[in-house]
Amino acid sequence: MRFDSPAGQNPIDQMKVVGRPHDRIDGPGKTTGTAPYAYERHDVVANQAYGHILGAGIAKGRIRSMDLRAARAASGVIAILTHENAGRLDKGRMNVARLLGGPEVEHYHQAIALVVAESFEQARAASQLIRVEYDRAAGQFDLHAARRAGVPPAQEDKRVGDFDRGFAEAAVRLDETYATPDESHAMMEPHATIAAWQGDRLTVWLSNQMIAWTAGDLAKTLRIPKENVRLISPFIGGGFGAKLFLRADTLLAVLGARLAGRPVKVALQRPLIANNTTHRAATIQRIRLGATRDGRLTAIGHESWSGNLEGGDPEDAVQQTTLLYAAAHRLTGTRLARLDLPEGNAMRAPGETPGLMALEIAMDEMAEKLGLDPVQFRILNDTQTDPGNAQRRFSQRQLVECLRVGAERFGWNRRQARPGQQRDGRWMVGMGMSVGFRNNLLMKSAARVRLDGRGVVTIESDMTDIGTGSYTIMAQTAAEMMGVGMDRVTVRLGDSSLPVSAGSGGQWGANNATAGVYAACVKLREAVARRAGLDPAEAVFADGMVRAGNTSRPLAELAGAEGLVGEDAIEYGDIAERVQQSTFAGHFVEVGVDMATAETRVRRMLAVCAAGRILNPKSARSQVIGAMTMGVGGALMEELAVDTRHGFFVNHDLAGYEVPVHADIPHQDVVFLDEVDPTSSPMKAKGVGELGLCGVGAAVANAIYNATGVRVRDYPITLDKLLARMPEVA
Amino acid sequence: MRPFTYERAASPAEAAAAAARNPEARFIAGGTNLLDLMKLRIEAPAHLIDVNHLGLDRIEETPEGGLRIGAMVRNTDLAAHAKVRRDYAVLTRALVAGASGQLRNKATTAGNLLQRTRCPYFYDTDMACNKRSPGAGCAAIGGFTRHHAVLGTSDACIATHPSDMAVALRVLDASVETVKADGTTRSIPMADFHRLPGDTPHVETALEQGELITAVTLPPPAGGVQLYRKVRDRASYAFALVSVAAIVQRDGSGRVALGGVAHKPWRLEAAEAELKRGAKPASDSLLAGARPTPHNEFKLRLAERAIASVLAEGRN
Ligand SMILES: Cc1cc2nc3c(=O)[nH]c(=O)nc-3n(C[C@H](O)[C@H](O)[C@H](O)COP(=O)(O)OP(=O)(O)OC[C@H]3O[C@@H](n4cnc5c(N)ncnc54)[C@H](O)[C@@H]3O)c2cc1C
Ligand code: SF4
């Protein structure tokens, strides 16, 4: 199905099933431990051996020698994989560093060996006996030093109007620099794989967000036809972007299985995840804002520095700045330093997350300079068109409504404009807000829908559910389209033998994958109507029946023994170029800061979101509160600490890399504004899973400023950055 | 993990004797620290002596009016004990500020005292560490040292002792009872139990090879208001950046010990003599001679402010 003009009325608009807070259909499986995750699939293939990965102990250089004798002799060891016996390997399109290193080492904890043994414990014990000698090479590990030395633009700067003049001539100016740290996805389930060869055919059970990308890259790396590779990933314990790509657990399990001549399972050890996999790269961001005295922005400049390995991309922290606020003169650009730290890549709302962490502090600072309320200041600078192209409108833009509703609900009028005024016992209390913004991305997505003789509708797609609720909203879509109850729908996902979906990433999963199901259901409806001898355009699907005129037939009967199938994909024309599709939020946060210790604790949070049709308010809310929690982590505690001498992230386990715990998150509210966006797809939906994170960090930062009067521009805002400027304790 | 043999000791003295015979042996209590370190091969004992079944899990009143806490009493049980909560509240407060409910159910009094540092370079076997392999050097010095010690450090090691409980025990003037391989027993005051790193950061306590902790004794209650304030980056389940254990008396006198700042709970009786003159002179004295790094310099200011805040709370 081609989608290139706004959707008209369609069966989804009935909202009998779609749009309802249906419980997750995969919930019982997960809560009873019967939803199988990759590493637990003991039953899928016999004779599984265990692999344990050895990560490089240096950041850059060469392996001079590897002494495997003790490891080989250790009990239970079956095989040891290294670059020497791995065979000739290519590299995946999506990979920057090689997943199996050696003799060259490209980053710390790059995998350099896999020990395969009868048990996990034996594999681990043996891997600890491998002695590696390295020739270290000097590397660049310090983004700040690289920036001082000068970094070229990653691509050409985007300019609108004349920024330099506009900024120079502005009546009120702000020019500040902000920093966000490297962050780890820190999802619960580590990367894990079971790999089994049958001759030249390969089956892989894994935990992965993008099945088709990963199947392609695995085949390419192995230099075998893609058809020979089958990937199965029905349940995923979180990803946040860490599992978008082929990673070392999968490649090494596959190579280990080939070497050992039997199936091999590998989970990436927690202490390796920070340095072995991808992470959100640190940024340094310079923001310049120019405004008239009455608070209209005239110039916006946003430059961002980040680093990556050779061949890696910049963290695009400026992309929202091209679209968020009106101003005639604009400059945005990214600068990419070559660093020898592990690869920086997508982590939940890449770009916008660090970008808004900086931009939305800058907006708070500018509001204060102008003597304006931060909410008012943003409302004043709203735009309904793309600021770089006045002809191009936003499909929907309810940002102002988000802010008004949020301010009202949160009691924003109780906020003291002057910082440091409100106390509650030991606590200095403050409120902060921020705008949330994230684009809606359109991606081709296919699905197959079967109807059987019992009237059961089965959806088949390689779509993944990374804890987001894909199973449920796809089932809701089919139930609505086919006029059956949720109990009549089953969903099969995460299998590379099924039609290729949009996958899970960039908050594009929900809208595109359900639109793919919609397209397939349109085909199935046609097939059903034809079999009933009805005009598909007239046919109404409801209560397990298809009806037109005086005819009414049960779906089950029409499907018969052989069943009926509909398969199709949603494909988009240039609609996303013609109108700008984005999602918007207002984030509001209240914090308390301990007067003596400067510990910040969030007291309450509110997000008001406008993101198209909300397909399931319950799972959407779960996404948003989870994202808000991640935002608190980014604001207050998450940082991969770089050792700039040795070139690695030091705090590489969950004791050292702190993420919020329950005690950090006392109260969250989420409001979704009524919205349908006919330009997004027949579903009229957009993503929310990343929107919930975008801007939260700045709202926390602004609340801390409001509480204490101390402005911190360097995340995370840990107490050491506040202490020196906190008022004296009595 | 290195393969190991395992035995259940029959009595405390036999456990000590068995450990003294085998320099590669370790006692295992709750296992919440030892097993983690064994999995990473930071500890690699060849033999484990299980000391969980020796009757060391009781809390008894002493003839002097104090408490004798068996070495295997679980952190959860100790924190919940009625007399501890009433008369040694700083101990309960410190315990419940540590780890998580699940861990405290397993963690023992002796194991908690002997838990090892959380220095991230100690945990990364690709990094040099004098504590792991004496003489190898210290990768932490000059590296990421936000959590490291500011007091009593040496050029060989700047690690902290991470225990919350130990800070409370120090302020309570507890002592550690042991039995040695030859069956003799002794009592080591908390002040002398943990050592500063000096040139031998791998030697962390006054215990001799094979010496088994049997109990920790508390003197009669010290009265006063007993507080424990743990300062950390998140609200729960994190090690202290700085912690303050304090006993504040009505007349303004009292005791203060710090956690998170040194290789042992940090308490100076001389500093406490200053308390009547106010929090500032006392904390100045307690923090004198500090050698912070650029990353952890904030701990001095933090400790000073946290002490002032705790003392103010105690006097209210
Ligand atoms: C995730 C996590 C978070 C934590 N957070 C905190 C925290 O916030 N605050 C805090 O204080 N602690 C914290 N801990 C540490 C926890 O308190 C310790 O792991 C626990 O107290 C150790 O007790 P155990 O009985 O399990 O010791 P084990 O692991 O069994 O033993 C520890 C050591 O003591 C030795 N040993 C045990 N018994 C004896 C004995 N009777 N005589 C001589 N030697 C003995 C062992 O040989 C070993 O060397 C945390 C631990 C984890 C894993
Ligand atoms: S500070 Fe101590 S524990 Fe840490 S690396 Fe140095 S010697 Fe080892």
Side-chain angles (χ1 to χ4, degrees):
Chain A
M1 174 180 287
R2 219 178 145 68
F3 185 82
D4 43 21
S5 55
Q9 186 84 9
N10 70 40
I12 299 296
D13 295 323
Q14 303 171 91
M15 300 269 281
K16 285 199 243 164
V17 195
V18 170
R20 308 266 159 170
H22 205 285
D23 287 347
R24 289 190 195 193
I25 59 177
D26 50 332
K30 286 179 173 170
T31 47
T32 57
T34 51
Y37 288 83
Y39 200 74
E40 311 166 341
R41 307 204 66 169
H42 316 293
D43 51 341
V44 289
V45 51
N47 206 23
Q48 300 174 9
Y50 292 78
H52 196 265
I53 294 178
L54 180 69
I58 61 165
K60 192 171 155 76
R62 272 181 86 82
I63 296 170
R64 193 183 328 135
S65 67
M66 239 172 161
D67 183 350
L68 305 178
R69 282 168 303 178
R72 278 222 177 86
S75 66
V77 172
I78 300 163
I80 303 178
L81 172 83
T82 68
H83 70 277
E84 294 193 341
N85 58 4
R88 241 179 83 198
L89 298 176
D90 196 350
K91 197 173 81 174
R93 276 191 310 126
M94 309 262 177
N95 293 130
V96 174
R98 284 165 309 131
L99 299 175
L100 176 62
E104 217 68 54
V105 173
E106 293 164 286
H107 61 86
Y108 197 75
H109 279 172
Q110 185 176 28
I112 54 170
L114 179 82
V115 178
V116 180
E118 296 293 342
S119 76
F120 169 76
E121 289 76 12
Q122 288 170 327
R124 180 176 62 195
S127 76
Q128 291 161 343
L129 300 176
I130 298 177
R131 292 284 157 265
V132 190
E133 304 275 343
Y134 300 98
D135 290 321
R136 285 164 200 269
Q140 174 62 265
F141 309 117
D142 186 341
L143 178 62
H144 291 261
R147 178 175 177 239
R148 283 192 298 272
V151 180
Q155 59 263 104
E156 213 187 311
D157 290 348
K158 277 196 196 148
R159 289 175 181 271
V160 176
D162 181 348
F163 174 76
D164 296 329
R165 215 194 64 218
F167 182 67
E169 289 175 359
V172 184
R173 280 193 299 264
L174 173 114
D175 181 353
E176 291 291 353
T177 301
Y178 305 84
T180 64
D182 296 286
E183 288 181 2
S184 184
H185 306 81
M187 65 284 149
M188 278 248 255
E189 182 204 22
H191 302 70
T193 299
I194 299 173
W197 290 89
Q198 308 87 27
D200 60 358
R201 305 205 145 247
L202 175 61
T203 309
V204 179
W205 294 265
L206 79 171
S207 180
N208 187 276
Q209 301 174 224
M210 296 295 295
I211 299 303
W213 290 1
T214 300
D217 267 359
L218 179 56
K220 178 169 186 290
T221 305
L222 296 170
R223 313 157 71 85
I224 63 175
K226 194 175 164 185
E227 302 70 57
N228 290 14
V229 174
R230 167 111 183 261
L231 261 48
I232 301 172
S233 180
F235 296 102
I236 297 147
F240 309 124
K243 297 172 181 168
L244 290 169
F245 316 113
L246 174 69
R247 295 301 316 170
D249 59 307
T250 303
L251 181 63
L252 271 63
V254 164
L255 296 173
R258 189 157 74 182
L259 195 64
R262 57 190 267 199
V264 167
K265 58 157 50 177
V266 175
L268 204 54
Q269 306 95 269
R270 184 64 69 178
L272 286 190
I273 288 178
N275 288 282
N276 176 279
T277 71
T278 58
H279 67 280
R280 190 200 297 288
T283 66
I284 301 169
Q285 302 177 47
R286 181 182 185 199
I287 296 180
R288 284 174 285 174
L289 300 176
T292 59
R293 287 211 191 281
D294 62 357
R296 292 194 189 273
L297 287 170
T298 50
I300 302 181
H302 192 168
E303 296 152 277
S304 173
W305 285 256
S306 62
N308 215 333
L309 290 167
E310 185 77 53
D313 292 327
E315 177 71 31
D316 192 1
V318 304
Q319 62 187 359
Q320 72 289 320
T321 307
T322 60
L323 290 165
L324 192 46
Y325 297 114
H329 307 292
R330 319 174 70 90
L331 160 71
T332 48
T334 52
R335 322 269 173 261
L336 179 59
R338 165 85 161 78
L339 294 184
D340 298 295
L341 290 170
E343 179 189 344
N345 209 318
M347 174 167 150
R348 200 175 197 173
E352 277 102 336
T353 299
L356 286 165
M357 284 165 88
L359 179 65
E360 287 297 290
I361 296 185
M363 287 296 285
D364 202 64
E365 297 195 65
M366 193 61 169
E368 191 182 32
K369 273 185 188 248
L370 291 162
L372 283 173
D373 178 88
V375 173
Q376 286 315 317
F377 179 46
R378 285 158 172 99
I379 290 175
L380 204 57
N381 289 288
D382 186 51
T383 172
Q384 291 294 318
T385 58
D386 176 345
N389 176 0
Q391 309 317 314
R392 194 164 165 264
R393 294 192 63 80
F394 283 91
S395 59
Q396 300 278 352
R397 179 164 164 137
Q398 296 201 71
L399 175 58
V400 170
E401 292 75 6
C402 289
L403 296 177
R404 291 220 165 100
V405 170
E408 167 75 33
R409 292 250 189 158
F410 201 66
W412 183 253
N413 58 5
R414 293 200 302 273
R415 172 182 177 268
Q416 309 282 331
R418 235 179 83 215
Q421 300 303 304
Q422 206 190 328
R423 298 278 154 90
D424 177 6
R426 263 179 35 203
W427 299 94
M428 307 177 84
V429 179
M431 290 188 212
M433 57 78 55
S434 158
V435 161
F437 174 91
R438 174 82 175 147
N439 285 338
N440 185 57
L441 303 173
L442 301 182
M443 304 264 284
K444 181 180 173 183
S445 195
R448 184 159 56 225
V449 186
R450 299 177 185 279
L451 175 66
D452 72 11
R454 296 164 301 150
V456 172
V457 175
T458 301
I459 301 169
E460 297 175 336
S461 154
D462 83 345
M463 180 59 188
T464 49
D465 188 323
I466 61 175
T468 45
S470 311
Y471 277 104
T472 312
I473 56 174
M474 290 169 81
Q476 286 174 279
T477 304
E480 192 82 78
M481 289 297 288
M482 301 313 299
V484 300
M486 283 288 278
D487 58 332
R488 310 307 288 160
V489 183
T490 58
V491 186
R492 283 187 58 206
L493 299 183
D495 186 328
S496 64
S497 67
L498 303 178
V500 176
S501 71
S504 300
Q507 81 170 14
W508 65 59
N511 177 51
N512 294 294
T514 55
V517 173
Y518 174 96
C521 285
V522 168
K523 284 273 161 68
L524 180 58
R525 285 164 62 112
E526 286 165 11
V528 171
R530 270 197 305 276
R531 188 163 287 180
L534 301 172
D535 176 0
E538 300 282 294
V540 174
F541 289 74
D543 309 321
M545 316 276 282
V546 58
R547 257 194 312 272
N550 298 331
T551 317
S552 174
R553 301 274 303 274
L555 299 183
E557 180 195 306
L558 288 166
E562 74 277 30
L564 284 167
V565 185
E567 181 171 345
D568 199 2
I570 190 88
E571 285 178 84
Y572 302 93
D574 65 349
I575 190 157
E577 277 107 72
R578 284 184 274 130
V579 290
Q580 175 57 40
Q581 297 179 19
S582 305
T583 62
F584 299 89
H587 285 291
F588 293 82
V589 174
E590 184 178 275
V591 300
V593 182
D594 188 299
M595 280 206 293
T597 63
E599 287 161 290
T600 299
R601 302 288 181 248
V602 169
R603 295 159 75 103
R604 59 195 182 97
M605 310 177 76
L606 165 69
V608 181
C609 305
R613 172 173 281 153
I614 299 304
L615 301 172
N616 179 328
K618 191 169 184 178
S619 58
R621 179 177 186 277
S622 290
Q623 280 301 294
V624 176
I625 62 174
M628 290 157 79
T629 304
M630 197 175 231
V632 171
L636 296 180
M637 61 193 87
E638 291 185 44
E639 170 171 24
L640 287 169
V642 183
D643 185 314
T644 53
R645 307 159 307 163
H646 296 292
F648 76 116
F649 301 128
V650 181
N651 50 342
H652 52 62
D653 59 30
L654 290 179
Y657 186 85
E658 289 179 18
V659 297
V661 294
H662 286 93
D664 291 299
I665 308 294
H667 185 86
Q668 298 176 315
D669 268 330
V670 180
V671 175
F672 294 108
L673 296 187
D674 270 338
E675 183 174 305
V676 285
D677 191 335
T679 67
S680 71
S681 80
M683 302 304 294
K684 306 174 187 172
K686 294 188 281 204
V688 294
E690 301 191 328
L691 177 65
L693 169 59
C694 295
V696 174
V700 175
N702 295 337
I704 293 172
Y705 175 73
N706 184 241
T708 62
V710 182
R711 182 64 79 183
V712 179
R713 301 185 182 89
D714 172 17
Y715 291 96
I717 307 179
T718 44
L719 56 88
D720 44 301
K721 296 172 187 170
L722 295 167
L723 263 184
R725 289 179 280 160
M726 291 284 284
E728 284 308 314
V729 262
Chain B
M1 189 185 284
R2 177 180 175 198
F4 58 87
T5 52
Y6 168 91
E7 75 174 280
R8 273 188 185 183
S11 73
E14 280 170 62
R21 277 196 302 274
N22 183 349
E24 293 202 298
R26 278 272 194 289
F27 301 121
I28 181 158
T32 60
N33 191 226
L34 182 61
L35 286 177
D36 281 0
L37 293 168
M38 287 169 66
K39 290 173 187 171
L40 296 166
R41 225 171 203 270
I42 293 163
E43 299 254 23
H47 184 63
L48 287 186
I49 302 166
D50 189 338
V51 293
N52 278 293
H53 312 278
L54 305 177
L56 300 177
D57 56 356
R58 283 185 284 275
I59 302 176
E60 299 156 344
E61 304 201 9
T62 64
E64 297 77 35
L67 276 188
R68 186 168 188 280
I69 303 158
M72 291 300 110
V73 171
R74 306 290 151 173
N75 287 177
T76 298
D77 297 330
L78 181 56
H81 192 269
K83 197 158 165 28
V84 175
R85 292 177 54 167
R86 191 181 69 227
D87 295 335
Y88 305 96
V90 64
L91 180 55
T92 291
R93 294 199 157 111
L95 282 163
V96 298
S100 67
Q102 296 92 323
L103 283 160
R104 295 194 297 267
N105 288 342
K106 284 299 282 181
T108 64
T109 310
N112 190 314
L113 279 176
L114 293 175
Q115 66 175 292
R116 307 203 64 193
T117 185
R118 294 282 161 170
C119 168
Y121 296 88
F122 171 77
Y123 268 84
D124 189 330
T125 49
D126 286 310
M127 292 291 136
C129 172
N130 286 323
K131 208 183 252 305
R132 255 192 284 108
S133 33
C138 168
I141 295 175
F144 171 63
T145 53
R146 182 165 183 268
H147 296 268
H148 286 80
V150 291
L151 288 156
T153 57
S154 72
D155 292 340
C157 179
I158 58 170
T160 60
H161 192 273
S163 170
D164 292 299
M165 182 193 79
V167 187
L169 291 181
R170 176 71 180 94
V171 90
L172 287 168
D173 282 328
S175 42
V176 181
E177 288 181 26
T178 68
V179 57
K180 294 192 205 181
D182 61 4
T184 57
T185 61
R186 64 169 171 155
S187 174
I188 310 168
M190 267 303 284
D192 304 329
F193 184 74
H194 292 103
R195 300 174 31 132
L196 290 178
D199 294 333
T200 54
H202 59 290
V203 185
E204 293 171 347
T205 66
L207 294 178
E208 293 170 13
Q209 168 64 32
E211 192 169 357
L212 177 82
I213 298 176
T214 51
V216 168
T217 41
L218 300 178
V225 178
Q226 305 198 359
L227 298 171
Y228 189 76
R229 183 82 154 270
K230 183 173 180 181
V231 184
R232 44 188 160 174
D233 290 325
R234 65 180 174 192
S236 175
Y237 203 37
F239 289 97
L241 294 165
V242 163
S243 67
V244 181
I247 301 178
V248 188
Q249 304 293 354
R250 238 175 244 284
D251 64 1
S253 68
R255 307 177 195 170
V256 178
L258 294 176
V261 295
H263 206 245
K264 59 190 286 187
W266 195 256
R267 179 176 169 206
L268 295 179
E269 278 74 359
E272 288 165 6
E274 304 280 331
L275 271 177
K276 287 201 162 165
R277 293 178 42 221
K280 174 84 174 129
S283 56
D284 282 351
S285 163
L286 190 58
L287 301 171
R291 284 209 315 177
T293 70
H295 289 167
N296 66 20
E297 209 177 349
F298 75 92
K299 285 193 177 185
L300 298 175
R301 196 183 182 91
L302 178 59
E304 186 190 315
R305 293 174 72 102
I307 290 170
S309 171
V310 167
L311 292 176
E313 187 181 342
R315 291 200 191 101
N316 271 331

